[in-house]
Amino acid sequence: MDVEVLSAPSAHTGDPQGFFDWMVDVHRATTCSEAVRTALRELFFSEKHSGSDGAPYGMALQILCARFGGALSNRAWYPISTSWFDKVGDVLDGLGIDLDPHHLAFSGSPISLPEIEDFPAIGHFTRAELEPVARAFAAADLSGIGDEELFESVTELRDWVRWCVDNDLDLVSFHY
């Protein structure tokens, strides 16, 4: 997604209140708690954070990313344990690709949120950060990755990077 939209999402709609109401309805399973609805309203309308628990804000951010961005396949990344980031990182290092997979979940939100103590873990890469990674992936020979699950995770990551660069977008990811 274009993370600049996240600084003032309501400005990117023709009917902000109507869009907000629609978004709450579409995501009613997630917005059933008052804390998540409040966080979503504050983020959508660029209001000051009234809460100190970051988890509802992380969930609200994920809703905004879904509505103003899109979802990429994460078949090879869900479910995973945090040790999977290390394994993928080792493969990327061996390929000469300078990307730390931990960044996908632990680099933080692209916008200011109250601290999240547990979940969701949030990470992001800007399109400028992804461009050299895309070039490195294009030059890399992935055929030597012997483990099928690692191969699938690395190729899916490559596809995310390529999609974002080709479409001039940033990558925001959530880990539960």
Side-chain angles (χ1 to χ4, degrees):
M1 81 163 298
D2 180 351
V3 296
E4 290 181 24
V5 171
L6 296 173
S7 64
S10 63
H12 296 273
T13 68
D15 175 12
Q17 186 60 54
F19 188 90
F20 176 77
D21 293 342
W22 169 81
M23 197 169 39
V24 168
D25 186 51
V26 167
H27 295 278
R28 78 179 72 96
T30 305
T31 60
C32 64
S33 87
E34 184 63 33
V36 174
R37 276 194 311 280
T38 298
L40 183 59
R41 186 191 73 247
E42 291 172 1
L43 294 179
F44 181 73
F45 289 107
S46 306
E47 299 172 357
K48 183 180 177 195
H49 305 313
S50 63
S52 59
D53 179 6
Y57 290 90
M59 291 177 208
L61 178 65
Q62 189 169 6
I63 292 169
L64 291 174
C65 288
R67 294 297 108 209
F68 290 94
L72 299 171
S73 170
N74 68 343
R75 179 184 47 78
W77 285 86
Y78 181 82
I80 61 166
S81 66
T82 54
S83 65
W84 192 248
F85 295 111
D86 293 327
K87 292 177 183 179
V88 172
D90 290 343
V91 171
L92 294 175
D93 286 345
L95 294 167
I97 298 172
D98 186 20
L99 182 137
D100 180 355
H102 290 93
H103 201 86
L104 289 166
F106 305 111
S107 62
S109 170
I111 62 170
S112 176
L113 299 178
E115 183 178 344
I116 299 173
E117 293 185 23
D118 195 12
F119 292 103
I122 304 171
H124 74 282
F125 287 95
T126 65
R127 58 196 98 176
E129 292 171 318
L130 294 173
E131 288 171 358
V133 176
R135 288 190 298 274
F137 266 122
D141 177 8
L142 306 184
S143 66
I145 303 172
D147 181 287
E148 184 177 334
E149 289 178 356
L150 281 169
F151 177 79
E152 289 176 4
S153 287
V154 170
T155 56
E156 194 164 72
L157 179 57
R158 178 203 59 201
D159 293 347
W160 296 345
V161 170
R162 187 180 316 157
W163 172 259
C164 289
V165 169
D166 288 351
N167 292 283
D168 198 27
L169 297 170
D170 309 292
L171 179 64
V172 181
S173 54
F174 298 85
H175 178 67
Y176 286 89

